[in-house]
Amino acid sequence: MDPVIIVGAGPVGLTLALALARQEVPCVVLDEGPGKDEPRPARTVVLREETAALMERLTGAPLAHAGVRWAGWRSMRRKQVTAEVAFGDTEPAPLHIAQHVLTGALRAALAGERLVRIAVNSRLDTMEQEPSGVTAHTRGDTGTWWRGSYLVGCDGPRSTVRKLQDIRFPGRTAVERHAVAALRTELPWYDEALLHRTPPWRTSGPPAREITARPLPDGVWRLDWLLPPGKDLVTPELLLGRVRETLAGWTDGPTPPYELLDTGVHTVHHRLARRWRADRVFLAGDAAHLLGSLGTHGLEEGLRDADNLAWKLALAWHHGPHEALLDSYQTERRAIVAARLRAADQALPLVRGGGGLRSCVPGSARGHDTLLMDGHLGRGALGAPGTYAGSPLAPGRLEGETPIGTAPGSAVTDVRVTAEDGTFVRLRDRFGRGALLVVLIAPGTGVWERRHWVSAGIMPRLAAAVSALPHRAELLVAESYPGAAAHTVLLVRPDGHLVTALSGVRPADLYAAAEAAVGGPATAEAETDAKADAGAASR
């Protein structure tokens, strides 16, 4: 079968290529550039715990050493600290990393992948779809035709793929602008990120309404200044003035020594593609959506696009088209991004507006600061990760369903599990392999060798039920899981989202949930055979 064509070699396109290769799907990545990325310390991304774990799993690199996990966060208004957060076991710290460092780790991992080919200096200019595949043409030193089974446009805001498919991209332009600088200096808040609103010092230009400081490795900081509305030119003199005034204000003295490494202007747009799928063509990342009012979270949603799409494309590539499964990519991911855009469009005018009756309400400013802080930290209305609770892949009401600490459609909690070969691994280490995960909660199994309990109690019946599922599944055993009683059985999607939790071994329910999770049976004949196997397992 033809490989999957990925247009665009940014972090989203490279992540998708790696995720597909891990599931034995060949890919061609069309890179319009020379195959290397210019270092830009002022262009960074903040990754939540689950997304950072995804990138480390795919790259095999300890990205925490290439970025910084913040020790804490503080919010200030004028001279007063309004909120402080200390990261630890109860609230894992986000990972702040330069985008070119992340892209470099992805390229290094792809260099050893036999199933991935990166075609540099290859810019897409036309494409054609057929019922059996996609043909794409690139221009470069010599024009080249490429044949693929599917094509995914990860080619950014000005996506050629989106334009060739005549997909509308409505939304708002220049919602916000931020002046950005990366510099090496010493600040009073070592390894802590800071949100400072209405700082008290005077400025040479328009007043600084909001400043964000985020640490990077080697004493480097990314500083963002929210700019006033309009299209006024951000001159080097203005930016240098902002740097000096801000550093002096934070240290209560003269401007401390600093080394300016990189500068830029980050313009925020809010746009959402009408469609993310057109037959065998898909959109992901900035080609499908633009968001990021808080400066660093837009890329993370693109990486989640790649994680969601990879296992679905892999299943269709290996087993034939599963239209409901492929359609669910747009349904699930577009709904989450649309909700985040709506939340930003509703909250930011109130938070940024300043003045009006609402600003006179006692405590309103503190509430606005909390709303912004939560958005930066991946919590609350502006930042909380979405769930797939309303997914078309969710099973209907199951008789044996039981509530646990994770809601259906949400990302599961990472716990230690025993794999089928008897080794102890983290649950997250089993994601991204294309298999459904069936996790039995069995207290006490962690202190006994696997051979003592693998053939005892309910294990044989559960193993038989797992072997009869309509899609490949891996059976894992955990001593405990938040909110789950003993003998609870969890069904988890390949991307780590909970399908359902069942009270005990219920083969019929487990089969129905697994069938729904992969978009239903591929053929009527396959459905009949698989249900017969499930019935045999339940007897």
Side-chain angles (χ1 to χ4, degrees):
M1 191 171 176
D2 294 319
V4 173
I5 299 173
I6 299 172
V7 182
V12 175
L14 298 177
T15 296
L16 179 61
L18 262 180
L20 287 171
R22 296 287 192 269
Q23 298 173 67
E24 298 297 316
V25 177
C27 306
V28 173
V29 181
L30 304 182
D31 184 355
E32 67 176 47
K36 59 179 66 176
D37 301 281
E38 176 187 1
R40 290 293 311 275
R43 193 176 187 186
T44 64
V45 58
V46 176
L47 301 179
R48 290 186 286 250
E49 181 188 16
E50 296 86 357
T51 315
L54 164 68
M55 302 314 295
E56 290 190 338
R57 184 172 69 250
L58 288 175
T59 62
L63 294 180
H65 299 297
V68 166
R69 290 192 181 275
W70 303 332
W73 172 280
R74 67 175 61 195
S75 295
M76 295 182 65
R77 177 174 286 273
R78 299 191 65 79
K79 294 184 178 182
Q80 181 183 5
V81 175
T82 59
E84 290 185 276
V85 175
F87 296 114
D89 294 337
T90 57
E91 181 164 4
L95 175 66
H96 187 210
I97 187 170
Q99 185 169 316
H100 71 269
V101 173
L102 178 62
T103 305
L106 289 165
R107 287 190 184 275
L110 281 167
E113 276 295 343
R114 60 181 176 81
L115 292 176
V116 179
R117 175 183 177 183
I118 300 181
V120 299
N121 300 315
S122 299
R123 182 177 178 82
L124 179 74
D125 60 8
T126 188
M127 55 187 289
E128 299 175 358
Q129 284 204 65
E130 304 168 11
S132 59
V134 183
T135 303
H137 183 267
T138 56
R139 64 174 185 262
D141 298 334
T142 59
T144 305
W145 286 97
W146 305 88
R147 179 69 179 175
S149 54
Y150 298 93
L151 184 146
V152 185
C154 304
D155 48 344
R158 296 179 175 85
S159 171
T160 301
V161 173
R162 189 184 65 240
K163 293 173 183 175
L164 290 174
Q165 291 300 302
D166 196 25
I167 296 175
R168 293 183 60 201
F169 198 38
R172 300 170 60 207
T173 300
V175 176
E176 291 181 353
R177 289 196 310 155
H178 298 257
V180 183
L183 49 91
R184 183 176 284 110
T185 190
E186 289 188 13
L187 292 179
W189 307 281
Y190 178 72
D191 277 358
E192 286 187 350
L194 169 72
L195 171 67
H196 197 168
R197 307 193 72 200
T198 59
W201 54 83
R202 293 184 177 181
T203 61
S204 55
R209 300 164 57 200
E210 184 175 305
I211 310 169
T212 308
R214 305 177 181 92
L216 285 162
D218 303 322
V220 176
W221 292 80
R222 169 175 166 167
L223 272 58
D224 292 58
W225 295 266
L226 177 65
L227 296 171
K231 299 182 179 179
D232 295 340
L233 183 64
V234 181
T235 64
E237 293 77 14
L238 175 63
L239 189 52
L240 285 174
R242 283 280 193 263
V243 170
R244 295 184 184 121
E245 293 160 353
T246 299
L247 296 184
W250 282 340
T251 54
D252 291 325
T255 302
Y258 69 91
E259 178 186 1
L260 189 61
L261 304 175
D262 190 21
T263 62
V265 175
H266 174 58
T267 303
V268 175
H269 309 287
H270 283 178
R271 293 189 176 275
L272 186 64
R274 292 291 191 193
R275 293 179 293 142
W276 292 25
R277 182 191 181 192
D279 298 324
R280 289 180 172 265
V281 174
F282 298 82
L283 300 177
D286 286 351
H289 51 77
L290 292 177
L291 70 162
S293 296
L294 304 178
T296 53
H297 286 290
L299 174 57
E300 186 181 62
E301 291 295 350
L303 299 177
R304 290 173 180 266
D305 294 344
D307 189 35
N308 183 286
L309 181 58
W311 72 273
K312 298 172 181 179
L313 274 181
L315 191 149
W317 194 90
H318 285 295
H319 303 289
H322 281 59
E323 295 304 315
L325 181 65
L326 295 177
D327 283 343
S328 72
Y329 163 68
Q330 170 179 306
T331 305
E332 292 180 343
R333 291 300 307 151
R334 192 177 187 278
I336 284 177
V337 175
R340 291 199 64 183
L341 286 173
R342 282 194 301 272
D345 286 342
Q346 292 168 3
L348 289 178
L350 172 64
V351 173
R352 307 290 199 205
L357 291 175
R358 292 179 185 270
S359 64
C360 301
V361 178
S364 63
R366 186 179 295 271
H368 295 169
D369 293 346
T370 300
L371 182 66
L372 283 176
M373 178 185 71
D374 285 348
H376 280 287
L377 299 183
R379 308 182 307 194
L382 291 179
T387 72
Y388 303 140
S391 169
L393 304 183
R397 176 64 184 168
L398 301 172
E399 182 181 349
E401 196 169 24
T402 186
I404 60 171
T406 301
S410 300
V412 296
T413 301
D414 188 30
V415 295
R416 191 179 78 157
V417 295
T418 305
E420 292 180 342
D421 61 1
T423 59
F424 292 116
V425 296
R426 303 303 302 183
L427 179 56
R428 280 191 186 136
D429 292 341
R430 317 312 281 187
F431 298 167
R433 300 182 175 205
L436 296 170
L437 303 176
V438 178
V439 184
L440 171 66
I441 311 305
T445 51
V447 299
W448 297 97
E449 290 187 23
R450 181 176 180 274
R451 60 188 177 90
H452 292 307
W453 49 259
V454 70
S455 60
I458 64 174
M459 279 296 294
R461 188 162 174 253
L462 179 58
V466 170
S467 67
L469 293 180
H471 182 66
R472 181 169 61 92
E474 181 180 9
L475 177 57
L476 305 167
V477 179
E479 277 217 67
S480 64
Y481 186 90
H487 297 168
T488 299
V489 175
L490 315 184
L491 179 64
V492 182
R493 299 181 357 168
D495 59 357
H497 288 259
L498 181 69
V499 179
T500 190
L502 302 173
S503 57
V505 180
R506 297 174 176 268
D509 283 351
L510 188 63
Y511 181 92
E515 185 179 71
V518 297
T523 64
E525 182 180 356
E527 179 183 22
T528 301
D529 293 344
K531 284 188 174 180
D533 292 339
S538 65
R539 290 194 288 270

